[in-house]
Amino acid sequence: MDLNTITEVVRRPSERPGTDWHEGDAWLAGGTWLYSGEQPDLSRLIDLTALPWEPLVQRDEGLEISATCTIRDLYARTWPAEWTAGILFRAACEAFLSSFKVWNAATVGGNICMSLPAGPMITLTVALEAQYELWAPDGSEHFVDARDFVTGDHRNILTPGEILRRITIPAHALRKRTAHRRFSLTRLGRSTVFLIGTQRRGGDDLLLTITAGTTRPVRIAFASLPDARTLRQSIDAVPADVWFADPNGTPDHRRHLTHHFAEEIRRELNAGDLP
């Protein structure tokens, strides 16, 4: 829709765009949420897509994803055979409540910074132990664990003018065995719960990531594969106020689904028949 309060669009920002930030600005990447409703507090858009950020960079140390990488580009990439967790990228892209038209514009960073419980790029990057590189308006930068970035429904740790530059996923996480489960009320609906379990190749550990059913990502680590009772108790230890409520499910419903799918993931990884 038209944003009738916008008086300027910066098409060619500086390499460190945060240094020019002032009140009333908004970062523009895909804009799929920004243009979806009125934004009365905004007067200027800063277009990040003009910056020469490579969408995806594969290194020996792992994968770098630019914040401006589109969902289309992420979905289309073919991953090295040894990156057995690569199957999760398509699964996360397909969890979007959106059409292919949105995929062409929506960005990985935009989905993360929206910080909605059902954001599948949050699920993906938390499960794969990613680090986020953040740029501050004063030109400094720092890194944060993906698990600690989202603090609640539509809330995160970004301060005014701060920007998500890139997401870095370590190679060891990309080589893990994985299992995932997702539930929505309709085939193309928003996720009610989205769970991912990962395990070291040849190991019996479990890293369980719970999202969509919670207002922020929950990641539970087990040094060895837990039994069903221990797994259930660990999920029950998630604070009551972290479980999410909206038209797609009550907290009790989401907790029930999490118990069910987490047990399926535990059994699947225990079976040892995954790549």
Side-chain angles (χ1 to χ4, degrees), residues 79-245:
W79 307 110
E82 64 269 22
W83 287 6
T84 46
I87 191 173
L88 295 176
F89 289 91
R90 287 204 164 197
C93 290
E94 290 168 353
F96 267 90
L97 176 59
S98 63
S99 70
F100 72 92
K101 295 179 182 179
V102 172
W103 280 23
N104 290 336
T107 62
V108 175
N111 187 250
I112 291 171
C113 292
M114 276 296 295
S115 301
L116 298 176
M121 295 299 102
I122 300 168
T123 313
L124 173 71
T125 54
V126 171
L128 293 182
E129 305 164 57
Q131 292 278 312
Y132 296 165
E133 181 180 338
L134 307 182
W135 286 2
D138 63 5
S140 64
E141 57 190 52
H142 66 102
F143 295 84
V144 62
D145 191 305
R147 173 185 53 184
D148 301 324
F149 180 79
V150 176
T151 58
D153 179 16
H154 203 32
R155 300 201 310 273
N156 58 50
I157 65 170
L158 287 175
T159 58
E162 200 166 27
I163 187 173
L164 171 61
R165 167 61 182 90
R166 64 167 60 89
I167 301 99
T168 304
I169 299 176
H172 76 84
L174 292 162
R175 297 190 184 104
K176 285 188 171 186
R177 302 167 70 240
T178 70
H180 64 277
R181 295 292 188 277
R182 174 178 172 266
F183 177 86
S184 62
L185 296 180
T186 61
R187 187 173 69 88
L188 298 177
R190 178 170 291 176
S191 300
T192 300
V193 295
F194 192 179
L195 283 72
I196 293 177
T198 66
Q199 185 180 69
R200 290 180 295 108
R201 294 183 64 84
D204 68 344
D205 58 306
L206 172 63
L207 191 65
L208 179 68
T209 299
I210 303 167
T211 61
T214 51
T215 57
R216 57 174 174 78
V218 173
R219 200 169 67 194
I220 307 173
F222 301 92
S224 59
L225 203 66
D227 57 26
R229 180 180 179 183
T230 301
L231 179 61
R232 187 178 185 89
Q233 289 174 338
S234 298
I235 294 169
D236 285 339
V238 175
D241 60 356
V242 172
W243 295 98
F244 187 47

Side-chain angles (χ1 to χ4, degrees), residues 177 267-275:
R177 302 167 70 240
R267 292 183 181 183
E268 186 172 338
L269 291 172
N270 188 47
D273 57 356
L274 296 175

